[in-house]
C-alpha cells in the first residue's frame, strides 16, 4: 500500500524541472510546444486548500505557475486542463498524495539574463501563426539594434541637459519662453488625464521637449554662456537641433545612416564635455 506524504515536494524547482523533462521527452499531444513555451522561465508554487480531495487519501491542492507575461496568451482551456493532468501525474510519481483541483497563472517580467534580441526573436517566432504569412526580415532586428544605440546617446544627452539646467535654476532666476511654458502645461494636463502613465518627474523641465531645452538656455544666455565655446549660442543650437531631428526620425521608425550615428556620438561627447559631466567635476550633477 502506497504511503502518501500529502505534502508538496520539498524542492519545487526540481519538481518543475522534472515536469519540463516529461514534456520534452514523453509528452506527445498537439499542444506540446505551447506547454513547453508556457513553462519557459516559469516558477511554481503548490498550495494545499486544507480539504481532502475526492481521490482516496489525497489532499486538495492548487498549483500556481508564474509565467512570462508574453506567454499568457498561450493559456487556453485545453492547455490548462492538460497541464493540470500532467502536474497531477508527476505529483503521483513523487508519492505526494495531492489532488490538483485548480491551476492559476500569474505574469512575471522577463528574466534579467534574457537579452532584448533573444526575447524579440522568441516573440517573432511565437507570432508566426498570427501574422497572416507576413515575413519579418531579419535585417529589421539588426536595424533595430542600431537605432536603439543611437537613441541611448540622445536619451542621455537630453536628460543630462535637463539636470544641467535644473542645477543652474537652483542658483539663478531662470525665465522660460512662452511656448515652452505652454508645452509644459499641455503635457501636465495630458498626464493628469492618463493616471495609468508614470509621472515624468518632479521638475517642469521633464515636461518640455528636447529641442526646447536649448531654447531655455538661449533665453537665459547670460547665465549659461560661460559653459559653451566662445560663448556661442549657435554652437549649442545646431548640435541639439541635429540630434532632435534624428530623435524624431527614430521615434517614427525611420532608419539613420552611419554618418548620422557618428554625428550623434560626436555631439554626445562634445555637449557632455561642455557641461563638465566628468568624474572630477567638483560640483557634480
Amino acid at each position: 500500500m502506497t504511503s502518501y506524504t500529502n505534502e508538496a515536494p520539498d524542492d519545487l524547482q526540481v519538481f518543475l524541472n522534472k515536469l519540463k523533462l516529461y514534456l520534452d521527452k514523453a509528452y506527445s499531444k498537439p499542444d506540446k510546444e505551447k506547454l513547453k513555451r508556457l513553462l519557459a522561465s516559469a516558477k511554481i508554487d503548490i498550495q494545499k486548500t486544507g480539504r481532502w480531495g475526492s481521490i482516496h487519501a489525497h489532499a486538495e491542492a492548487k498549483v500556481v505557475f508564474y509565467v512570462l507575461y508574453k506567454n499568457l496568451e498561450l493559456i487556453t482551456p485545453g492547455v490548462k486542463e492538460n497541464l493540470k493532468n500532467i502536474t497531477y501525474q508527476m505529483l503521483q510519481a513523487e508519492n505526494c498524495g495531492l489532488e490538483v483541483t485548480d491551476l492559476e497563472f500569474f505574469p512575471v517580467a522577463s528574466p534579467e539574463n534574457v537579452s532584448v534580441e533573444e526575447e524579440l526573436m522568441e516573440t517573432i517566432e511565437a507570432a508566426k501563426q498570427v501574422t497572416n504569412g507576413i515575413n519579418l526580415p531579419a535585417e529589421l532586428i539588426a536595424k533595430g539594434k542600431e537605432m536603439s544605440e543611437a537613441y541611448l546617446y540622445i536619451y542621455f544627452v537630453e536628460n543630462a541637459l535637463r539636470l544641467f539646467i535644473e542645477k543652474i535654476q537652483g542658483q539663478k532666476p531662470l525665465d522660460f519662453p512662452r511656448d515652452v511654458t505652454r508645452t509644459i502645461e499641455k503635457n501636465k494636463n495630458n498626464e493628469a488625464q492618463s493616471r495609468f502613465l508614470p509621472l515624468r518627474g518632479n521638475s517642469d523641465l521633464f515636461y518640455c521637449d528636447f529641442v526646447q531645452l536649448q531654447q531655455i538656455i538661449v533665453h537665459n544666455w547670460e547665465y549659461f554662456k560661460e559653459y559653451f565655446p566662445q560663448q556661442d549660442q549657435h554652437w549649442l543650437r545646431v548640435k541639439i537641433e541635429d540630434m532632435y531631428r534624428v530623435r524624431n526620425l527614430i521615434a517614427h521608425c525611420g532608419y539613420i545612416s552611419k554618418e548620422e550615428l557618428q554625428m550623434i556620438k560626436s555631439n554626445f561627447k562634445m555637449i557632455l564635455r561642455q557641461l563638465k559631466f566628468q568624474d572630477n567635476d567638483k560640483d557634480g550633477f
Side-chain angles (χ1 to χ4, degrees):
M1 180 178 179
T2 303
S3 177
Y4 296 119
T5 65
N6 299 125
E7 298 293 340
D10 292 333
D11 192 326
L12 290 176
Q13 187 57 48
V14 170
F15 174 77
L16 181 58
N17 290 339
K18 291 179 180 179
L19 182 57
K20 292 179 180 179
L21 183 62
Y22 173 80
L23 280 172
D24 188 43
K25 302 299 183 182
Y27 190 73
S28 59
K29 291 187 178 181
D31 60 358
K32 176 175 181 172
E33 292 306 315
K34 279 188 177 182
L35 286 168
K36 287 173 63 177
R37 281 169 43 207
L38 180 62
L39 296 188
S41 302
K43 296 186 182 299
I44 188 173
D45 188 26
I46 299 178
Q47 304 168 359
K48 293 170 61 178
T49 67
R51 299 185 296 270
W52 289 104
S54 59
I55 302 174
H56 175 69
H58 282 59
E60 275 190 5
K62 176 176 68 176
V63 179
V64 180
F65 288 98
Y66 299 88
V67 302
L68 296 181
Y69 181 84
K70 63 180 182 180
N71 288 339
L72 289 178
E73 64 183 25
L74 299 171
I75 302 170
T76 64
V79 166
K80 182 176 180 180
E81 185 64 24
N82 286 341
L83 183 55
K84 174 183 170 182
N85 293 336
I86 296 168
T87 306
Y88 168 68
Q89 293 172 22
M90 295 299 296
L91 288 171
Q92 285 288 90
E94 298 286 318
N95 291 327
C96 291
L98 295 177
E99 180 184 355
V100 180
T101 56
D102 190 24
L103 292 188
E104 285 190 1
F105 299 90
F106 288 95
V108 295
S110 299
E112 294 181 359
N113 61 342
V114 175
S115 70
V116 172
E117 185 177 1
E118 289 174 332
E119 186 171 2
L120 183 60
M121 290 301 296
E122 184 179 334
T123 302
I124 290 173
E125 185 66 26
K128 280 185 176 179
Q129 296 178 353
V130 294
T131 54
N132 295 322
I134 298 174
N135 183 32
L136 300 173
E139 67 175 336
L140 284 181
I141 304 298
K143 287 184 175 180
K145 288 179 65 178
E146 291 177 30
M147 295 307 96
S148 66
E149 179 185 2
Y151 188 79
L152 180 61
Y153 282 98
I154 297 170
Y155 178 88
F156 193 94
V157 167
E158 180 174 343
N159 286 290
L161 277 170
R162 287 192 171 97
L163 295 174
F164 171 68
I165 296 171
E166 189 174 45
K167 179 183 177 182
I168 303 302
Q169 190 178 27
Q171 303 167 355
K172 306 292 183 179
L174 302 186
D175 180 43
F176 288 10
R178 184 173 299 175
D179 64 326
V180 174
T181 300
R182 284 198 292 262
T183 297
I184 291 171
E185 291 175 351
K186 175 184 175 183
N187 287 333
K188 280 188 170 182
N189 289 335
N190 289 341
E191 185 176 78
Q193 296 173 22
S194 303
R195 295 294 185 182
F196 59 89
L197 295 176
L199 295 175
R200 292 189 182 210
N202 56 5
S203 168
D204 284 351
L205 292 166
F206 288 90
Y207 290 88
C208 61
D209 296 334
F210 179 24
V211 73
Q212 292 179 322
L213 296 175
Q214 62 91 10
Q215 294 174 14
I216 294 172
I217 292 175
V218 170
H219 192 72
N220 297 274
W221 190 243
E222 61 181 305
Y223 301 130
F224 288 97
K225 59 185 179 181
E226 64 180 284
Y227 295 97
F228 298 98
Q230 291 79 49
Q231 300 185 1
D232 183 8
Q233 298 178 8
H234 183 71
W235 183 91
L236 177 66
R237 182 184 297 114
V238 169
K239 285 175 173 51
I240 291 183
E241 287 180 352
D242 281 346
M243 296 182 79
Y244 183 66
R245 173 180 56 80
V246 173
R247 179 189 186 276
N248 289 343
L249 187 62
I250 296 172
H252 291 88
C253 300
Y255 181 70
I256 66 174
S257 66
K258 291 183 179 179
E259 290 75 18
E260 288 171 312
L261 176 58
Q262 188 57 45
M263 177 271 291
I264 290 295
K265 292 181 178 180
S266 178
N267 286 0
F268 167 83
K269 293 176 182 178
M270 287 191 285
I271 291 175
L272 293 190
R273 188 179 298 120
Q274 290 305 132
L275 302 187
K276 302 184 189 300
F277 270 79
Q278 291 104 347
D279 292 337
N280 60 356
D281 179 13
K282 63 181 181 181
D283 293 327
F285 278 87

